[in-house]
Amino acid sequence: MASSPFSGGLINSRVDSPIAICCKNASVDSANSGFSTLMEYMGKGGVGVGDDLVLLFGHLEYASKKIAALVASPFNSSLNNNVAIGNTGISSDRDKPKPLDIVSNEVILSSLRNSGKVAVMASEEDECPVWITDDGPFVVVMDPLDGSRNIDASIPTGTIFGIYRRLVEIDHLPVEEKALLNCLQSGSKLVAAAYILYSSATILCASFGSGTHAFTLDHTTGDFLMTHPNINIPPRGQIYSVNDARYFDWPEGLRQYIDTIRQGKGQYPKKYSARYICSLVADFHRTLLYGGVAMNPRNHLRLVYEANPLSFLVEKAGGRGSDGKNRILSIQPVKLHQRLPLFLGSSEDIEELQSYGDVQQKVNPGYDV
């Protein structure tokens, strides 16, 4: 097994471990800065998440720092394009550099294994769930590197994950069956969710069921410091985020909604602006802070890995997540890679959007983006 910065329920005390050093100095550094760290907040911040979840998030935090370093590396272009660097003499496909989303998937899986707290993991990158250990209390679903096609242009990317409790009542079932059923839980059963934004700053935004909080990576200490406690998305924003180059493929209801709000003729009497990065985590992060609505109206985003965790986060911040008709967290997944339209944002904006009726795009002329 690969070495881990953690052992059992406590942080490993190895003095040469960067994570050990960071955690050892965390209380001093956070006291000096006035910010609490993620581990401090979870451990004694009154959220009552329990030691198992604290330990799991410690390993996810460690994985996110490794991915952040990979994304920022000058060699990530070669990794992402699956091209060997220099004349290595390697001819085997097995030894070629892997795309960054695959590498990120392996980094997180390794951290989950090392935590000892995860029974099963399901990833957008894997066809089937991966069973890890029989007695792990948690189930993790994730998109390891959302927006990876944008890396070569240095556009923000992100990791998304949701955490459920293992369904102990189905422990008797065969491994493949119980692995799948554990990962197909309704989003209403999430116990925690988070995304990590890799941009000008590395930000981990999480909810443990009470409020949504963002922590920014301090590169001088290696700690995630709470910089956005108790995020409350404005009840209405003035920004919409969508690829409106597809305007003529949209249903009439969605076209009418967009035409109305950008002319300032909607329920909010000011003109809306368009902001679209084409990176789900980045567009969602901006929407969470400033309000408005971020959307993909076609049957494209994955319910298990993207829609459920982000809807959990926006709801805990006072917003809404919808497929254009129904609350996302009330939808029961029937397939691991099930896709659907996704609308996330301010509660009043989502309500106004849904009042236009037909906002889900049915036409798909075959474009990739």
Side-chain angles (χ1 to χ4, degrees):
M1 179 180 293
S3 61
S4 168
F6 300 92
S7 176
L10 299 174
I11 297 171
N12 193 315
S13 60
R14 283 172 44 209
V15 295
D16 60 335
S17 165
I19 305 302
I21 293 170
C22 290
C23 293
K24 179 180 178 182
N25 296 328
S27 60
V28 176
D29 292 328
S30 60
N32 291 338
S33 67
F35 297 100
S36 64
T37 68
L38 173 62
M39 292 293 99
E40 286 175 337
Y41 175 75
M42 293 185 69
K44 56 186 178 183
V47 292
V49 299
D51 291 344
D52 287 343
L53 193 58
V54 174
L55 181 64
L56 174 55
F57 260 83
H59 282 269
L60 288 169
E61 181 185 63
Y62 176 69
S64 71
K65 294 176 200 175
K66 292 186 70 174
I67 296 170
L70 285 169
V71 169
S73 167
F75 305 113
N76 66 26
S77 178
S78 296
L79 281 170
N80 209 41
N81 288 311
N82 205 18
V83 176
I85 301 170
N87 183 15
T88 63
I90 295 173
S91 58
S92 170
D93 288 342
R94 182 186 62 186
D95 296 324
K96 289 182 179 178
K98 299 174 183 177
L100 266 178
D101 44 6
I102 303 300
V103 174
S104 299
N105 195 58
E106 294 175 350
V107 167
I108 297 174
L109 176 58
S110 176
S111 287
L112 298 183
R113 288 188 191 278
N114 291 338
S115 76
K117 300 300 179 183
V118 178
V120 59
M121 179 207 78
S123 168
E124 183 178 314
E125 299 298 330
D126 298 324
E127 184 178 351
C128 300
V130 177
W131 191 263
I132 298 175
T133 182
D134 289 343
D135 59 354
F138 298 114
V139 174
V140 175
V141 296
M142 66 168 184
D143 182 350
L145 193 60
D146 176 76
S148 57
R149 71 175 64 194
N150 292 325
I151 288 174
D152 287 351
S154 297
I155 293 173
T157 55
T159 297
I160 305 169
F161 58 87
I163 300 174
Y164 299 91
R165 295 205 176 273
R166 187 183 93 246
L167 299 173
V168 295
E169 62 270 23
I170 63 171
D171 279 348
H172 64 283
L173 295 176
V175 169
E176 289 185 6
E177 186 175 353
K178 67 183 179 182
L180 181 60
L181 291 174
N182 269 290
C183 296
L184 290 180
Q185 297 185 59
S186 165
S188 61
K189 295 183 178 179
L190 282 162
V191 297
Y195 64 80
I196 300 97
L197 174 67
Y198 310 112
S199 185
S200 56
T202 299
I203 297 175
L204 190 156
C205 184
S207 176
F208 311 102
S210 177
T212 297
H213 318 279
F215 302 79
T216 302
L217 179 61
D218 180 351
H219 290 281
T220 63
T221 65
D223 293 317
F224 278 96
L225 302 180
M226 181 182 280
T227 50
H228 300 75
N230 294 305
I231 296 172
N232 288 303
I233 185 172
R236 183 177 288 278
Q238 203 176 336
I239 297 171
Y240 72 93
S241 180
V242 66
N243 182 3
D244 54 10
R246 310 307 177 191
Y247 177 90
F248 294 104
D249 298 325
W250 293 347
E252 184 62 26
L254 184 57
R255 290 203 300 263
Q256 287 182 354
Y257 169 73
I258 295 297
D259 287 344
T260 301
I261 62 170
R262 63 187 179 188
Q263 293 179 76
K265 296 180 179 179
Q267 295 175 12
Y268 186 61
K270 290 188 178 181
K271 295 180 179 180
Y272 278 52
S273 298
R275 300 286 187 273
Y276 182 61
I277 303 172
C278 193
S279 178
L280 178 59
V281 171
D283 281 317
F284 177 70
H285 182 70
R286 182 196 56 247
T287 303
L288 194 63
L289 296 181
Y290 300 152
V293 57
M295 69 186 92
N296 189 325
R298 66 189 181 105
N299 216 38
H300 180 68
L301 296 174
R302 291 167 174 82
L303 173 59
V304 172
Y305 311 115
E306 297 166 319
N308 272 336
L310 296 184
S311 293
F312 183 82
L313 287 163
V314 77
E315 283 199 8
K316 298 306 178 182
R320 294 175 64 178
S322 171
D323 70 350
K325 295 180 179 179
N326 307 297
R327 176 179 178 241
I328 290 292
L329 296 184
S330 68
I331 300 173
Q332 174 60 51
V334 295
K335 296 180 180 179
L336 196 58
H337 297 278
Q338 181 176 338
R339 296 175 185 259
L340 79 176
L342 182 59
F343 303 84
L344 299 162
S346 300
S347 56
E348 293 179 14
D349 284 308
I350 297 293
E351 183 177 359
E352 181 177 1
L353 167 74
Q354 291 186 153
S355 73
Y356 282 77
D358 187 15
V359 296
Q360 297 176 325
Q361 179 182 331
K362 302 298 192 298
V363 177
N364 187 357
Y367 45 76
D368 292 330
V369 178

